[in-house]
Amino acid sequence: MFTVQASISDLVTIRTDIESVRIFLRDFDNFRELMPGIEEIHLDRSGHSHWKIRTEIPVVGHLTERFALQFNEDDGYMEWSPVAGTIGNFLRFSATLEKRDADTDVRFALAVEMRRDAGKNLHVLAPIAGEHRISREMERRVGEMIRTFITRIKQRLER
């Protein structure tokens, strides 16, 4: 099994109320517009979202993958997680929101995992680059995505 994985989490304080953050994160247009690498997000008839993400990986070149996600929300927790029965591409994005005076603390977490029977099934050059190198680069790229997204959210919501 050839497995590439990456995850990152970050805590940020946004100078706005918790409901504004919640509404903002429910809107897929904000992800498409503010998170690098998100090429497309659409909803199917069953309410599942399908995210198309593209990233550049040294040696390999670009990877474009699709992820089928379901949305769950409970009080101060929002999560987009793999649809039951998902095989191969797993993405989990969550935001934990906590009111702090007039501000909102948000812990973002993003985890990506891609599993293939063989590296060549991910990309023709993946076996040459190897799981570790691709995972390390994916971790760096995922970190950039989240940090850029957080910066842009703060700019948008703290006006």
Side-chain angles (χ1 to χ4, degrees):
M1 180 66 67
F2 191 91
T3 303
V4 175
Q5 53 192 358
S7 63
I8 187 103
S9 69
D10 205 349
L11 176 66
V12 63
T13 299
I14 302 175
R15 291 188 318 261
T16 192
D17 62 280
I18 196 167
E19 191 57 26
S20 295
V21 176
R22 189 182 330 273
I23 290 167
F24 187 86
L25 291 174
R26 283 185 189 138
D27 186 346
F28 286 135
D29 289 336
N30 292 322
F31 286 92
R32 284 188 290 256
E33 184 180 337
L34 303 176
M35 187 179 284
I38 303 288
E39 289 192 342
E40 177 184 321
I41 300 175
H42 72 274
L43 287 173
D44 65 20
R45 291 183 189 146
S46 64
H48 297 136
S49 58
H50 298 267
W51 298 36
K52 180 180 174 185
I53 300 176
R54 178 186 171 111
T55 190
E56 297 293 324
I57 305 293
V59 178
V60 172
H62 79 273
L63 287 175
T64 301
E65 296 294 330
R66 295 180 185 274
F67 302 87
L69 306 176
Q70 60 189 16
F71 178 69
N72 299 298
E73 185 173 15
D74 184 21
D75 198 25
Y77 186 72
M78 305 172 80
E79 179 183 69
W80 295 261
S81 59
V83 170
T86 297
I87 299 172
N89 286 341
F90 303 91
L91 176 93
R92 183 177 311 276
F93 179 79
S94 66
T96 305
L97 290 70
E98 187 175 316
K99 183 177 174 11
R100 190 168 62 88
D101 299 322
D103 301 336
T104 304
D105 285 341
V106 184
R107 173 159 307 278
F108 290 101
L110 178 62
V112 178
E113 185 173 307
M114 295 175 288
R115 299 178 192 160
R116 301 296 188 273
D117 291 332
K120 66 181 179 178
N121 296 338
L122 179 66
H123 190 283
V124 69
L125 296 175
I128 295 168
E131 291 171 319
H132 180 70
R133 185 171 183 188
I134 296 172
S135 291
R136 189 176 64 238
E137 186 60 25
M138 285 291 293
E139 187 97 18
R140 189 177 76 74
R141 300 292 179 165
V142 166
E144 288 173 2
M145 288 173 68
I146 287 293
R147 285 187 293 278
T148 300
F149 188 58
I150 287 170
T151 299
R152 292 174 176 174
I153 286 173
K154 285 179 68 75
Q155 290 170 347
R156 185 74 56 92
L157 289 176
E158 293 182 349
R159 290 182 182 174

